[in-house]
Amino acid sequence: MSSESANLAALERFFEKLALLPKPEPPTPNLFSVAGPGQHENRLSDLMAFFMGGYPGAPRWLAKALLHALVRKGHFDGEHLQQVDWEAVTTEREAGSWSAESASTKRLDLVVSGNDFVVGIEHKVWASAEHNPFDAYDSLLNSYAVKAYRCVLCPDDSKESVWAPAKKAGWPTLSYSELLVSAYALYGQDVAPSEQTKWQVFYQELLQHLASIAHPTEEKIMTKEELEFSLKHFHDLYEASARLEQFEQELRAEGKSHIAAALQIDIGNISTNKKPENWHQTRVWRFFPRSWSEQHGGATQVCLIFYPSSESEGNESIGFELRAYVESQENHDPCLKDLERAFLKAVPTSKQPDSTWYRDGSDNDTWYENRGRWLALSAWPAEYTKAGAMKALGDLAAWVDEHAFQAAMLPTEQA
């Protein structure tokens, strides 16, 4: 056996092992990550304020967790914590303080206050703290005439532009993870035993959402089994990626060859990108015959779209779609409408012996893009294999050339 054949055989065995890897469980969606505040700082602050007693009847679980977290870091008096009347705790959003220096009101994100204390919280998700008026915040907290505490609440991976200005101003930073340690430690004591309400569910969702953005640079995208497999078989993965790149370049070269033969032009007169594009889990080669752009002054093209598929009619695991984009220099050009009608009339809606391509017969066969300047034509190879796709690609290019360009060059009575 040649070394090339041995390499291919080894790769095939590798793919067999790869297929045996257990499929990872889909992640459980989080309400606030999917449809809530996401990482929007103001909306996330609004949600935090609610669970800090910011509204009548709202729970104060997060306020209690925050104070416990500050005690753990030595930024809140432990004995003072024991004396807090939690029924008296409230939280204000965007508390304002007049700044004489700037002649404007400066607002602090969250202010938690009780019977004999106040805590100012500047919340930072991604924004810098370099321009925050901490002096104005201090004046605001001092105006409460009670013991004042302060902190900058931020994700664990916050940049120097957050913690350095805070440290200079004497404001300690509190990370999401530090807050979550206290929140979960108190969960069984305060949240779980309380009367069953919707707030328990939403509070748990909020904690999980904060955990998901606490370490944004450490999010895992592989299971432990997948990671171990990849480390063990890195050489095979590297070899497979090189083969994939080589295969995609083969499709590019073969596509250019079939288009050139169909249009009876030199391969050098067809341009493409250096690498295929990614379109929603598919890969795409765009082909631009030079004569089309020179004659029409646009970006008319034919596309070969390929993706993993088990429906191939050959010993393959790849599927293909064909597409053409015909560009006009004006919006809603009547010529594009004529071309669309010709396409729908001429192209069969099922596989036919005398045609290498066909269309679905649905509303997705044609559509317009770029404010009506691009007409998209979609078709499928009658033979659902690489060879069939290449033949159909050339025939689609020939059809576009004839109906969009050659017909336009004829006198009206001949066209």
Side-chain angles (χ1 to χ4, degrees):
M1 181 184 294
S2 67
S3 60
E4 180 68 10
S5 298
N7 289 339
L8 291 175
L11 268 182
E12 189 164 358
R13 290 193 297 272
F14 163 70
F15 290 133
E16 291 172 355
K17 295 177 182 177
L18 185 61
L20 296 176
L21 271 178
K23 299 296 182 184
E25 291 292 328
T28 302
N30 181 277
L31 175 66
F32 296 132
S33 299
V34 175
Q39 297 175 6
H40 190 282
E41 187 173 290
N42 285 331
R43 286 182 290 184
L44 191 53
S45 296
D46 290 340
L47 196 55
M48 289 178 172
F50 180 86
F51 287 100
M52 291 179 175
Y55 295 84
R60 299 168 175 85
W61 301 323
L62 196 62
K64 190 172 184 179
L66 183 121
L67 265 60
H68 274 76
L70 289 176
V71 168
R72 288 172 184 266
K73 296 194 70 176
H75 301 307
F76 195 97
D77 185 79
E79 292 185 5
H80 198 170
L81 179 65
Q82 302 304 318
Q83 301 168 8
V84 172
D85 177 7
W86 294 105
E87 294 300 319
V89 170
T90 60
T91 296
E92 183 181 357
R93 276 281 287 127
E94 298 289 352
S97 174
W98 177 259
S99 171
E101 182 179 350
S102 63
S104 62
T105 299
K106 302 301 180 182
R107 299 190 178 278
L108 184 56
D109 290 329
L110 296 157
V111 175
V112 181
S113 57
N115 52 335
D116 59 352
F117 77 93
V118 65
V119 180
I121 305 165
E122 179 61 18
H123 183 208
K124 293 295 179 185
V125 180
W126 299 120
S128 165
E130 291 175 339
H131 303 294
N132 280 87
F134 288 104
D135 290 343
Y137 299 161
D138 286 328
S139 296
L140 169 66
L141 297 177
N142 292 334
S143 70
Y144 283 74
V146 292
K147 179 66 174 179
Y149 302 92
R150 53 194 52 79
C151 73
V152 174
L153 179 62
C154 52
D156 297 48
D157 292 341
S158 291
K159 299 178 181 178
E160 183 180 2
S161 60
V162 172
W163 56 260
K167 182 179 180 180
K168 182 178 179 181
W171 281 58
T173 54
L174 183 68
S175 71
Y176 282 2
S177 288
E178 290 167 332
L179 174 61
L180 289 168
V181 166
S182 292
Y184 282 119
L186 295 170
Y187 194 91
Q189 170 187 321
D190 295 332
V191 185
S194 60
E195 183 180 351
Q196 184 68 36
T197 68
K198 57 186 176 182
W199 306 132
Q200 291 163 312
V201 176
F202 290 150
Y203 183 59
Q204 189 174 38
E205 286 289 279
L206 173 61
L207 297 183
Q208 291 175 356
H209 177 58
L210 292 178
S212 72
I213 56 178
H215 297 280
T217 61
E218 295 181 10
E219 289 184 359
K220 299 293 185 181
I221 60 174
M222 303 181 79
T223 64
K224 180 182 177 182
E225 291 79 6
E226 290 172 329
L227 179 59
E228 291 176 349
F229 182 89
S230 299
L231 290 170
K232 182 178 180 180
H233 297 283
F234 177 75
H235 174 78
D236 296 316
L237 286 169
Y238 186 82
E239 176 70 16
S241 66
R243 295 279 180 178
L244 175 61
E245 183 176 354
Q246 186 179 21
F247 170 72
E248 290 179 334
Q249 293 298 321
E250 172 67 23
L251 291 181
R252 174 175 176 259
E254 195 169 340
K256 290 178 69 172
S257 179
H258 277 79
I259 294 170
L263 301 183
Q264 297 183 348
I265 60 176
D266 187 83
I267 289 179
N269 289 325
I270 301 174
S271 62
T272 64
N273 297 331
K274 291 184 179 180
K275 292 184 177 181
E277 295 180 14
N278 278 313
W279 283 6
H280 307 295
Q281 298 182 339
T282 65
R283 304 280 278 173
V284 184
W285 278 119
R286 297 176 182 262
F287 301 92
F288 303 88
R290 185 180 304 165
S291 59
W292 291 358
S293 60
E294 289 177 347
Q295 180 181 335
H296 206 269
T300 299
Q301 61 195 265
V302 287
C303 302
L304 178 69
I305 304 171
F306 54 101
Y307 45 85
S309 174
S310 59
E311 299 178 3
S312 174
E313 296 173 350
N315 186 25
E316 302 170 354
S317 61
I318 185 172
F320 296 93
E321 180 191 350
L322 311 172
R323 196 173 294 179
Y325 288 99
V326 183
E327 184 180 7
S328 172
Q329 296 304 300
E330 60 180 276
N331 296 342
H332 307 291
D333 188 343
C335 291
L336 293 185
K337 276 292 183 183
D338 292 339
L339 185 65
E340 180 183 22
R341 283 191 288 266
F343 179 83
L344 295 175
K345 181 179 179 180
V347 182
T349 56
S350 61
K351 296 182 180 182
Q352 301 294 329
D354 58 344
S355 178
T356 61
W357 51 300
Y358 69 101
R359 60 185 179 87
D360 270 345
S362 67
D363 293 336
N364 298 322
D365 292 338
T366 63
W367 64 90
Y368 290 87
E369 296 182 9
N370 195 18
R371 291 178 293 181
R373 289 181 54 190
W374 282 34
L375 169 64
L377 309 172
S378 174
W380 302 89
E383 180 189 332
Y384 205 59
T385 62
K386 180 187 74 68
M390 290 301 172
K391 293 177 185 176
L393 181 67
D395 288 349
L396 173 60
W399 190 94
V400 171
D401 187 68
E402 176 184 352
H403 291 80
F405 295 97
Q406 301 304 322
M409 294 169 59
L410 296 173
T412 305
E413 63 272 11
Q414 298 182 44

